[in-house]
Amino acid sequence: MKAMHALSGRARELIDAEERYGAHNYHPLDLVVEHAEGVWLWDVDGNRYLDCISAYSAVNQGHAHPRILAAMIEQAKRVTLTSRALRNDRMPGFLEKLTRLCGFDMALPMNTGAEAVETAMKLARRWGYEVKGIRDGAAEIVVFSNNFHGRTTAIISASTTPEYKRHFGPLVPGFVPVAYGDFEALERAITPNTCAILIEPIQGEGGVIVPPDGFLKRIWGLCKEHQVLFVADEIQTGLGRTGDLFACDYDGVKPDILVVGKALGGGFYPVSAALADEPVMGLFKPGDHGSTFGGNPLGSAVASAALDVIVEEKLVQRARYAGAKIMQGLRAIASPAIVDVRGRGLLIGVELNLRARILSKALLERGIAAKDTQETVLRIAPPLVIDDDAIDYFLDRFKDAVAAIQAPTA
Ligand SMILES: Cc1ncc(COP(=O)(O)O)c(C=O)c1O
């Protein structure tokens, strides 16, 4: 297969400028995207790539979805931002659609995922003091090893990954980490001061780690037994990605607080939210929390259309079908380089016995953009609109790339 990823002068120039003027807080693949549509990306030299990253699951609906684009343009001509000092005519419909779809009384709209996680943390602490009766300042939130909930100071305080925290202290107290999947350790970690358990129902950044079946259900039972809130961070796993509307649905669990983001903005605009029923969300009073951009009319119009696309195009079912087909194809590849293929729906992890960056680069040369998450795990997460032809394209090229890294040319 022809290698297609030699960097042109134009691409080199852009990469150099980014490195020169931008902070070096990422280590991206050297693919300079110029436009995108559906599951495809085109670089500045006109080469086409299958997107298996989907902006970390923010583009579940596919790039430049015409319906979301139309909603965005139409709203941009009317009014984009009012702040919450005023009301706007788009937010109520969006919130009604979101809460009905997710099955909660109320939602608090924010922008990025990290902000929605912060919202959930504050809400859980508030509930701990005002409902559970925890002594002020003593509330604890149980979190899991290898979690990823974002990058704010409170959130990195809950992280167990040393490089996320190094020289960013003093950190925020009150987080108790336990090993992901270890129910007995979790039971031991619960104290009378525990207000919440915060969990990703499948760990995405952690390496596509799927907990044992029934793990979430057992945690939910533990929460009920000890009067603790079950807080699910479905920013990456939610809105169809795992072949259910939410990954918690797989275990039949309804969280007390649900956190959504990424695909809620359809890849166009950052929109996130924390959702809960009235006895919990009702604890927020005017002035307690907010954001200038949260719930703005442009974001509300975009998110409304993004939700419609997920429902009306049956993206949940498509993720389930396409994910099963891709996983079956990956498992059929007989290669000593592949240690494990795991995941659910279109959130797939391929564990390798070599650095995943090596395979990621080989894939890029063959027209596939897929990125390592942990050192040895490649994450495969294309937009949910992927069709059979694109799946065949993916599997053919993936096989070829794996064969090439097994037998490198001298
Ligand atoms: C599970 C999870 N939570 C939170 C976040 C943070 O979202 P954002 O980058 O929009 O702040 C991410 C981002 O990757 C995520 O995967």
Side-chain angles (χ1 to χ4, degrees), residues 56 112-115 117 148-150 200 205 233 235-236 262:
Y56 299 117
T112 64
E115 288 172 301
V117 172
F148 188 85
H149 299 291
E200 296 158 87
E205 299 303 303
D233 177 350
I235 287 168
Q236 185 161 158
K262 293 193 190 278

Side-chain angles (χ1 to χ4, degrees), residues 83-141:
S83 84
R84 297 290 299 278
L86 305 172
R87 301 180 189 269
N88 72 70
D89 70 343
R90 299 311 305 250
M91 192 177 82
F94 159 55
L95 294 179
E96 183 177 355
K97 193 175 283 180
L98 179 67
T99 50
R100 282 183 192 273
L101 183 68
C102 301
F104 289 87
D105 292 344
M106 301 167 110
L108 194 157
M110 297 293 279
N111 313 285
T112 64
E115 288 172 301
V117 172
E118 288 272 350
T119 305
M121 287 174 167
K122 287 172 73 175
L123 186 55
R125 283 179 166 187
R126 170 68 56 96
W127 175 89
Y129 300 125
E130 296 190 356
V131 177
K132 186 167 177 176
I134 297 170
R135 180 175 51 81
D136 195 23
E140 291 168 352
I141 297 178

